[in-house]
Amino acid sequence: GEHDALMQQLGTDGSACRSQLNDHNGSIDRLRHDNQNVATQLEKHGTSIEQLQERWNKQALMDQKQDEQIEQLRGDVDANSTTLDEQLRQHSSMTQDRLNQVEDRLQKQEIINNKIEDPSARLDSLQHNGAAANAPHSSVASQQSLPTQQQPQPQKQ
């Protein structure tokens, strides 16, 4: 009977072991499944990270190109500014030269006009004096030749 009891005990223990083994196998299967899910998720995340890195690299490249373009534009603006400053200086200088030339011409013209006016005024004066000297009936001649006829002129106040 002891043998039977032992065999029965072993059968019960074997059954319990099989049940535990099945439980462990189920747990292992669940862990494998979870592990597969985690691996799938990691792969998705890895792909997302790679895509983000690609986007980051593209953006960094675009930023670098934009920085280069900005530097190029700054250089162009500086060059244009320098060119415009030089053109402005040249135009200003030419304008000043023209103004100086016009001013010189005006001064020369004024001197010429004065020289023309002086002889004209002298000619008028000479003609007036000459006419007075040649015309004995003029009032100037009679006043000069006949001092007794001079009337005292009233003084203006």
Side-chain angles (χ1 to χ4, degrees):
E2 222 178 280
H3 184 282
D4 287 340
L6 192 60
M7 287 304 278
Q8 193 175 8
Q9 182 63 39
L10 279 177
T12 304
D13 287 346
S15 249
C17 279
R18 263 191 224 100
S19 176
Q20 281 184 343
L21 186 61
N22 285 340
D23 286 347
H24 284 309
N25 282 338
S27 293
I28 288 170
D29 285 344
R30 282 193 300 281
L31 284 174
R32 278 190 183 134
H33 186 264
D34 290 349
N35 217 6
Q36 187 60 41
N37 284 341
V38 168
T40 303
Q41 290 298 318
L42 276 177
E43 193 177 323
K44 286 180 184 176
H45 286 305
T47 302
S48 295
I49 288 170
E50 284 174 13
Q51 288 172 347
L52 285 173
Q53 282 176 332
E54 283 176 24
R55 281 194 221 146
W56 178 268
N57 291 339
K58 284 180 185 175
Q59 187 63 45
L61 195 60
M62 286 172 49
D63 289 351
Q64 183 182 356
K65 285 180 182 176
Q66 277 185 334
D67 288 347
E68 289 169 3
Q69 288 174 339
I70 287 170
E71 284 306 310
Q72 179 65 43
L73 287 173
R74 280 188 183 140
D76 291 349
V77 166
D78 289 346
N80 285 341
S81 178
T82 302
T83 301
L84 288 174
D85 284 348
E86 183 56 33
Q87 287 176 349
L88 184 61
R89 274 193 293 277
Q90 288 175 356
H91 286 298
S92 177
S93 175
M94 288 185 337
T95 302
Q96 190 60 48
D97 289 347
R98 286 183 189 145
L99 284 173
N100 290 342
Q101 288 172 1
V102 168
E103 194 173 301
D104 287 349
R105 282 189 202 137
L106 284 174
Q107 287 174 353
K108 287 175 184 173
Q109 189 63 45
E110 193 174 324
I111 290 169
I112 290 170
N113 287 346
N114 287 340
K115 285 181 179 177
I116 290 171
E117 285 175 15
D118 285 350
S120 296
R122 275 193 248 127
L123 184 61
D124 287 347
S125 173
L126 287 173
Q127 285 176 342
H128 181 74
N129 289 341
N134 291 335
H137 301 295
S138 75
S139 62
V140 173
S142 22
Q143 286 177 4
Q144 285 176 350
S145 61
L146 302 172
T148 54
Q149 289 181 351
Q150 283 184 345
Q151 303 273 329
Q153 296 193 0
Q155 298 215 346
K156 294 181 183 177
Q157 290 181 353

